[in-house]
Amino acid sequence: MTRLLIVTAVEAEAAAVRTGVLASGVDPATVDVIPVGVGPAAAAAGTARLLALAEAGGAAYRAVISAGIAGGFPGRAEVGATVLGARTIAADLGAESPEGFLPVDRLGFGSNLLEADPALLKTLTTALPHAIVGDILTLSTVTGTAGTAAALLTRHPDAVAEAMEGYGVACAAQAAGVPCGELRTVSNPIGPRDRAAWRLREAFSALTEATAAACG
């Protein structure tokens, strides 16, 4: 029996995903949905542990999906939209300089970008034809000003959303040789921080529906 691992940051996201798994009609024993913590470090550590335990137990996962809610760039991914990551980018991994932000690639210390597994991404886009496909940024500090949002889009013109875990999950999956993808639903617009504009209920509902379609 092959299993799929879906990791989220928090239990509220995991609950929405589990509801979608049950609605999909697949055997729930073939899909593990586990929250691993907030931020790229917790996501990487938690996902790596789960993948290693599964492999050691002789039941390695066939793929891992980083799922949850996200902020969407206005005009690209509106509140309630479903987004799929063609690439996951650690957008704040690098250094400041007088000329501006230097990504870790420019520093010669590796890469801040990982591409989604092509076969997994094709499966997800087929199941979710209305999903918005683009780069999903991973940030340890999410955006709270219009200036930062504009700067991110200048550096990452294909970005559609931002979250806090995707790159960490992708790093763990790459190290384990497991296909990885990122699926998120938009709860708020990226820019000036305004909790009154967040629509968590709508985003969780969309996450359930997207999971049901992806697993069905």
Side-chain angles (χ1 to χ4, degrees):
M1 179 178 69
T2 61
R3 294 184 299 156
L4 171 68
L5 174 63
I6 304 178
V7 295
T8 69
V10 297
E11 177 57 34
E13 293 169 320
V17 171
R18 291 188 194 110
T19 301
V21 171
L22 291 175
S24 74
V26 301
D27 181 354
T30 64
V31 184
D32 289 343
V33 183
I34 303 174
V36 292
V38 176
T47 302
R49 176 178 178 274
L50 293 169
L51 293 176
L53 287 173
E55 183 176 8
Y61 289 107
R62 60 180 174 84
V64 57
I65 296 174
S66 175
I69 61 174
F73 284 101
R76 300 188 176 193
E78 304 301 332
V79 172
T82 297
V83 297
L84 296 171
R87 305 186 298 179
T88 180
I89 300 173
D92 56 3
L93 182 61
E96 290 185 327
S97 79
E99 293 75 34
F101 179 80
L102 297 175
V104 70
D105 309 60
R106 293 270 302 276
L107 300 175
F109 299 141
S111 177
N112 68 338
L113 182 154
L114 292 171
E115 297 201 15
D117 177 78
L120 179 56
L121 180 59
K122 182 178 181 180
T123 297
L124 291 173
T125 54
T126 300
L128 298 163
H130 300 299
I132 299 163
V133 181
D135 293 343
I136 300 179
L137 308 184
T138 297
L139 295 156
S140 294
T141 302
V142 294
T143 303
T145 67
T148 299
L152 286 172
L153 283 178
T154 297
R155 298 204 306 266
H156 306 288
D158 295 323
V160 295
E162 71 171 23
M164 302 180 77
E165 293 79 32
Y167 184 77
V169 175
C171 284
Q174 182 186 60
V178 177
C180 183
E182 187 167 6
L183 184 162
R184 296 190 176 273
T185 53
V186 176
S187 61
N188 59 281
I190 295 171
R193 187 170 176 79
D194 178 14
R195 283 302 294 267
W198 287 30
R199 297 292 181 266
L200 294 177
R201 181 176 297 178
E202 290 89 337
F204 286 136
S205 178
L207 185 59
T208 294
E209 293 178 9
T211 303
C215 292

